[in-house]
Amino acid sequence: MNWNTHTIALGGTRYPYFYGHECMGRIIDSIAGYDADRFIVVTDDNVLALHGESLLPRLGEHAPVQVLSLPAGDGMKALPNLAAHLEQAIASGATRRSVVIAFGGGVPGNLAGVVAALLFRGVRLVHIPTTTVAAMDSVISLKQAINSGSGKNHIGTYHTPEAVYLDVALLRTLEGKQLRSGLCEATKNCLAIRPQSISDLRRVLADGDLASPSTLLWLLEESLEAKISVTERDRYEQKAGLILEYGHTVGHAVEICDQRLRGAEGISHGEAVMFGMLAAARISAAVGGLTQDDVSMHDELAYALGAPVTVPDGLSIADVVNAVRLDNKRGYLPVSAGEAAMVVLDELGKPMGSRDLPLVPVPMDLVEETVAGLRVDRHGLSLQH
Ligand SMILES: NC(=O)c1ccc[n+]([C@@H]2O[C@H](COP(=O)([O-])OP(=O)(O)OC[C@H]3O[C@@H](n4cnc5c(N)ncnc54)[C@H](O)[C@@H]3O)[C@@H](O)[C@H]2O)c1
């Protein structure tokens, strides 16, 4: 067993990230030290079935455990589920000394974060991520949010976890699509923040075994470095940290439209972001930023990851463009009805706009034309430049 620690620094806020391989025993010993009167484990049914046994019985030796589990999928991040979790926790005896444990991917992680933030105006939160997205992205953040009926992450707050505990052995059971999802986010960090790591990333992707502990730990450390390099100056991710939204404007729109069509069977969050980066790279080139070589680099990485490079089947361009209009970055930069606020790159690792607000207005017509260009045409062609 190896066991490492990294300090997450978000502005003046700090919390430890412990990670290793085959280290569940050590994780539980550490959580036992919180002196909780109850553990409220927020998870989903898949994670519970696959990995519940590695956590719950041993955790129960230290305090009563309440498991709040729901069918997996982004639909879990909804107000009725939040209300039900809060009511159940209170009815079963939760107090201010209870600890909420987010056990799963970014979805139960986000729901658990809002539960912890609201319960008695804030109780302790611990993350045990089980997906690459959660491990490499969502737990390195104070943002806790659920979805509204019309868009992702519209309802939420900020809440600082006590700690994050990752055993990469839990990631072994991820299916390819989910494994790729966090690797797409790690790729985003290289393209938008740490272009000096792109050659190493290409080597790692070329190796092929994306699920090996050493590959996952390399990608984790890379993600920690990239994310913290921007969030240590911007804990609420409302200024310099918005660079992390690269690929998310079109990505979120595609994710939400695809979800309506296919539910959990559809495109994963990270894959949607990778697709969104293909659009953002083309927009960056169209407005005088990235070169065609940079755009090709995006395409090459998307292919290496096996991520979708065209608009998912059955999605209309109009629906995707409408979802872009509802994107929650509008509030950060005043834009007209005919524009979207987007992260656009001047060069790899360097956004347009200012260092403190890496967003620029992009005409909706250009967004629409770009997304339409990434649709498989009737000859089966894709990736038009
Ligand atoms: N700053 C933030 O808070 C932030 C950042 C990035 C993403 N997010 C959010 O995270 C969510 C996406 O996270 P996700 O991709 O982890 O989704 P997820 O939590 O839905 O997990 C994806 C699927 O993997 C399954 N799964 C989880 N762990 C598994 C394991 N070890 N083995 C096998 N299957 C497993 C789940 O049951 C689910 O079906 C989105 O809602 C997104 O908005 C938030």
Side-chain angles (χ1 to χ4, degrees):
M1 181 193 76
N2 56 7
W3 180 256
N4 299 293
T5 313
H6 201 111
T7 299
I8 310 280
L10 299 141
T13 304
R14 293 196 164 23
Y15 56 93
Y17 192 131
F18 301 98
Y19 57 97
H21 181 228
E22 309 272 13
C23 56
M24 280 309 281
R26 184 127 188 208
I27 289 175
I28 292 162
D29 288 348
S30 184
I31 294 175
Y34 288 111
D35 190 28
D37 63 358
R38 170 173 292 268
F39 295 114
I40 301 158
V41 177
V42 178
T43 187
D44 72 39
D45 295 349
N46 298 341
V47 175
L48 189 60
L50 286 166
H51 298 295
E53 276 300 302
S54 68
L55 175 70
L56 302 175
R58 282 189 280 174
L59 198 60
E61 292 167 14
H62 303 282
V65 177
Q66 178 177 23
V67 178
L68 299 174
S69 182
L70 289 165
D74 218 70
M76 184 199 287
K77 291 181 19 176
L79 270 175
N81 295 335
L82 172 67
H85 276 11
L86 287 167
E87 292 289 359
Q88 282 175 51
I90 293 164
S92 68
T95 75
R96 290 178 176 77
R97 249 184 71 210
S98 303
V99 170
V100 173
I101 299 181
F103 185 46
V107 168
N110 277 183
L111 181 58
V114 185
V115 168
L118 296 183
L119 195 58
F120 306 117
R121 299 196 201 93
V123 299
R124 290 170 292 172
L125 168 69
V126 163
H127 284 291
I128 306 180
T130 67
T131 64
T132 50
V133 167
M136 296 178 195
D137 192 10
S138 62
V139 302
I140 315 168
S141 175
L142 306 180
K143 293 197 290 188
Q144 321 293 347
I146 60 170
N147 304 330
S148 72
S150 57
K152 278 184 63 68
N153 300 328
H154 282 181
I155 302 164
T157 185
Y158 298 92
H159 192 63
T160 308
E162 297 297 302
V164 179
Y165 296 95
L166 171 67
D167 182 348
V168 285
L170 299 184
L171 308 186
R172 214 170 19 217
T173 51
L174 286 170
E175 61 170 79
K177 180 178 83 168
Q178 296 306 340
L179 182 70
R180 273 197 298 278
S181 189
L183 310 192
C184 291
E185 292 274 6
T187 299
K188 172 204 72 183
N189 292 337
C190 287
L191 290 166
I193 302 167
R194 281 171 65 86
Q196 67 270 32
S197 300
I198 290 177
S199 53
D200 284 342
L201 173 69
R202 289 165 89 179
R203 231 187 342 267
V204 166
L205 295 184
D207 262 5
D209 186 7
L210 299 180
S212 77
S214 60
T215 296
L216 291 171
L217 290 170
W218 182 86
L219 287 160
L220 171 69
E221 284 171 355
E222 185 57 36
S223 301
L224 287 166
E225 292 295 338
K227 228 178 149 172
I228 293 167
S229 73
V230 291
T231 53
E232 66 184 353
R233 288 179 278 129
D234 176 23
R235 81 161 114 176
Y236 295 132
E237 299 172 47
Q238 290 181 329
K239 293 185 171 160
L242 287 169
I243 185 71
L244 295 163
E245 295 284 316
Y246 184 52
H248 280 59
T249 305
V250 171
H252 263 167
V254 165
E255 185 182 7
I256 205 153
C257 294
D258 194 70
Q259 169 109 48
R260 282 187 203 128
L261 198 66
R262 279 176 269 266
E265 299 307 307
I267 194 169
S268 69
H269 173 74
E271 289 175 327
V273 169
M274 186 73 238
F275 176 78
M277 286 192 281
L278 301 186
R282 284 162 172 74
I283 289 169
S284 301
V287 298
L290 293 181
T291 63
Q292 283 307 324
D293 282 352
D294 296 331
V295 174
S296 301
M297 164 79 73
H298 282 67
D299 296 349
E300 182 205 311
L301 291 169
Y303 278 120
L305 284 159
V309 293
T310 54
V311 178
D313 265 359
L315 263 57
S316 85
I317 303 301
D319 284 349
V320 173
V321 170
N322 274 336
V324 168
R325 281 184 222 283
L326 290 171
D327 188 72
N328 60 8
K329 280 180 291 301
R330 302 185 77 78
Y332 292 119
L333 182 76
V335 291
S336 72
E339 295 170 326
M342 279 186 72
V343 179
V344 170
L345 297 184
D346 214 359
E347 46 189 86
L348 295 175
K350 185 166 174 273
M352 289 187 181
S354 70
R355 197 173 95 119
D356 271 348
L357 193 64
L359 288 179
V360 291
V362 173
M364 286 303 300
D365 290 350
L366 177 57
V367 174
E368 182 164 357
E369 187 189 309
T370 305
V371 175
L374 286 164
R375 184 175 207 172
V376 182
D377 72 15
R378 61 184 189 285
H379 306 296
L381 287 175
S382 59
L383 284 183
Q384 304 153 15
H385 293 290

